[in-house]
Amino acid sequence: MTARLERDTAIVLGLSAVAGAALGGRRLAGGVLGGGLLLAISYRALKRGVSALGPPVAGEEARPAVSAGRVALGLIGRYALLLVAGYVIIGRLHLHPLGVLVGVSAVVVAAMVEAVRSRR
C-alpha cells in the first residue's frame, strides 16, 4: 500500500506541476516541485524513524538496534534541513508559495485517491 501511495503522490506532483506551468508559468511549477522536494525529505525522515523504532520487517530481523536518541537526532537534523530547504525555495529562489503548498499537499490528495480506491 505504501508503494501505491508513493506512486500516486508522484503522479499528483507531476500533474500539479504541469497544471502549474500552464496556469502560472515556471515560478508556480517550480513551487510545486519545490514543495514535492520538501514532502520527500519529510516523508523519508518519518519513514526511517518509524522503521528504526518499530518491529523489524520480514528479512531484517538481524538489523542492529538503534537507540531512540539517535533516531530523535536524525529527525531533528532532517527537520533542520527542511527549514533550510524551505528558506531557499521561497526566500532565495522566489518560487510561488502557493505552488509549494500544493506540492507539499500532494500526499494528501494521493491518500484521498487511495481511500476512494479501497472503498470499491
Side-chain angles (χ1 to χ4, degrees):
M1 184 164 112
T2 58
R4 276 198 320 246
L5 182 66
E6 292 168 1
R7 183 199 66 213
D8 290 347
T9 301
I11 292 169
V12 168
L13 273 171
L15 292 174
S16 298
V18 169
L23 296 174
R26 290 187 305 177
R27 186 170 171 243
L28 187 61
V32 171
L33 295 177
L37 176 67
L38 293 176
L39 171 67
I41 293 169
S42 178
Y43 178 77
R44 184 169 181 242
L46 290 174
K47 187 174 181 179
R48 286 183 59 158
V50 167
S51 68
L53 292 176
V57 293
E60 290 186 10
E61 289 84 9
R63 76 170 186 210
V66 180
S67 71
R70 183 173 173 161
V71 172
L73 283 176
L75 285 172
I76 290 169
R78 294 249 187 230
Y79 283 104
L81 177 64
L82 277 173
L83 286 172
V84 171
Y87 169 74
V88 169
I89 287 170
I90 295 175
R92 293 292 179 190
L93 296 177
H94 303 289
L95 297 178
H96 202 287
L98 185 59
V100 174
L101 182 63
V102 169
V104 170
S105 301
V107 71
V108 176
V109 175
M112 288 190 301
V113 167
E114 183 63 32
V116 169
R117 187 182 299 144
S118 69
R119 298 235 341 136
R120 291 183 189 177

